[in-house]
Amino acid sequence: MTTRTRTAAAAIAVVAAVTGSALLGASGAASAASAAASHGTLTVSNGTKYVRINGHRVDFGVTVRDLAWSPDGRKAAFVDGSGNLDIAGPDGSGRIVVAKNPGGQTWSHPTWQVTEKDTRYGIPAKDNLIFAARAKGVSRLKYVSAKAVHGTPKTLSLNGAPDPDGAVPQTGNVWPNAAGHYGTSVYANADTGAVYIRDDYLRQQGGKLTKGSQPALAPNDEEVVFVRSVAGHDHLFVEDLTHGDRVKDLTPHATTDYTEPAWSPDGKTLAARTPAGTVTLPADGKGRPAKATSTVGLAAYRP
């Protein structure tokens, strides 16, 4: 069994063992919600002060880069034109600088790590923003409390699986993406050209998954979508972490580049960037991409 399989399987097993009937209750509540709410609202940020939300252009008042929505949809996190890490409401109001860029750094791709506390195991609640920081030519993953005001980011711990071959790189890490209820995240490494998983529940460990970039973790923690180049085009692939790490090409007939994928809250749809705009496609691969908007930028779903 590979390090990848052991790490992914261990993360899923821990989640299944700990959650029990609570997870079934959450599923029941989710099924009672409307289909529209579970699917979410597609948004696109393109490095201007305008964010396209459900077909409407919303003025955030400052430059918005790499926007990501909180799990409850009430807040957006993004990098502003000064390179700071901000949060704001869905209309751009109430903006707060969570962390001020000290200068000489490039911050990118914030993601929300939100979990409830688990008193049974002494695990505190988490409400963090994880992001990539590049300084002096070196990229590292950082984190800061989402409740901070001008907070000081810290370097994110990256411990590998407890194996001789379980080490994970500490630098070159980019494009973090967290999802689910247990602190799990994925990220890419620009030096190795691979995607990694980071489990952060009972103990923090992780490992290499597969070759690729720009990963996004499914809302149920069980799949990872990522980008991989095939025959001159960027394709979208998905890896199933619960069935032998099976990898499937979702865009086998690509005649353009599909990049920067994002999951809908119900895990059934993906959105991605193309040179001609934003597309959506079924996450199970049983359908072709369809154009959602001509706006080119980073897609995200607001729950």
Side-chain angles (χ1 to χ4, degrees):
M1 183 180 286
T2 64
T3 298
R4 172 186 68 189
T5 305
R6 282 192 295 270
T7 302
I12 298 301
V14 165
V15 170
V18 172
T19 56
S21 60
L23 183 58
L24 294 176
S27 297
S31 64
S34 69
S38 65
H39 185 74
T41 299
L42 180 63
T43 71
V44 183
S45 58
N46 62 357
T48 70
K49 66 177 183 177
Y50 299 105
V51 178
R52 194 160 189 85
I53 301 177
N54 199 26
H56 301 286
R57 195 172 71 159
V58 179
D59 186 351
F60 270 57
V62 294
T63 296
V64 175
R65 299 191 180 101
D66 297 351
L67 180 147
W69 295 99
S70 62
D72 61 9
R74 296 180 179 179
K75 296 290 183 180
F78 57 92
V79 178
D80 67 24
S82 299
N84 304 321
L85 183 60
D86 296 354
I87 61 171
D91 60 355
S93 63
R95 183 172 64 90
I96 296 172
V97 177
V98 175
K100 185 175 177 61
N101 193 313
Q105 298 187 20
T106 301
W107 292 356
S108 63
H109 212 71
T111 185
W112 297 77
Q113 184 197 41
V114 178
T115 68
E116 296 182 359
K117 69 178 180 180
D118 190 328
T119 55
R120 293 170 296 175
Y121 296 92
I123 301 172
K126 298 182 180 71
D127 189 5
N128 298 322
L129 291 171
I130 299 172
F131 62 99
R134 186 171 180 81
K136 297 181 179 179
V138 178
S139 296
R140 291 183 172 88
L141 298 186
K142 303 279 187 176
Y143 76 99
V144 65
S145 169
K147 294 182 172 64
V149 178
H150 286 208
T152 301
K154 299 179 181 178
T155 299
L156 188 71
S157 65
L158 295 173
N159 300 315
D163 307 325
D165 60 346
V168 295
Q170 301 298 302
T171 61
N173 296 313
V174 295
W175 211 273
N177 182 263
H181 302 287
Y182 310 102
T184 307
S185 58
V186 291
Y187 58 95
N189 187 275
D191 298 326
T192 66
V195 172
Y196 295 79
I197 190 168
R198 180 182 186 272
D199 178 30
D200 192 15
Y201 196 61
L202 294 181
R203 61 176 177 176
Q204 195 275 290
Q205 62 177 332
K208 181 179 177 181
L209 291 179
T210 189
K211 178 184 177 183
S213 63
Q214 301 177 8
L217 183 63
N220 63 5
D221 301 305
E222 296 179 0
E223 295 175 292
V224 179
V225 65
F226 58 93
V227 176
R228 183 187 290 174
S229 181
V230 178
H233 287 297
D234 288 329
H235 289 221
L236 298 182
F237 286 78
V238 66
E239 180 170 3
D240 186 340
L241 302 178
T242 61
H243 296 90
D245 297 327
R246 292 182 299 189
V247 175
K248 180 178 182 179
D249 189 346
L250 300 177
T251 55
H253 308 292
T255 57
T256 188
D257 293 324
Y258 296 100
T259 59
E260 303 179 0
W263 291 89
S264 64
D266 61 8
K268 295 181 179 180
T269 303
L270 294 166
R273 176 176 183 156
T274 76
T278 303
V279 300
T280 59
L281 66 156
D284 60 8
K286 297 178 180 178
R288 293 178 179 268
K291 190 171 184 178
T293 173
S294 59
T295 301
V296 178
L298 179 72
Y301 279 94
R302 181 190 173 199

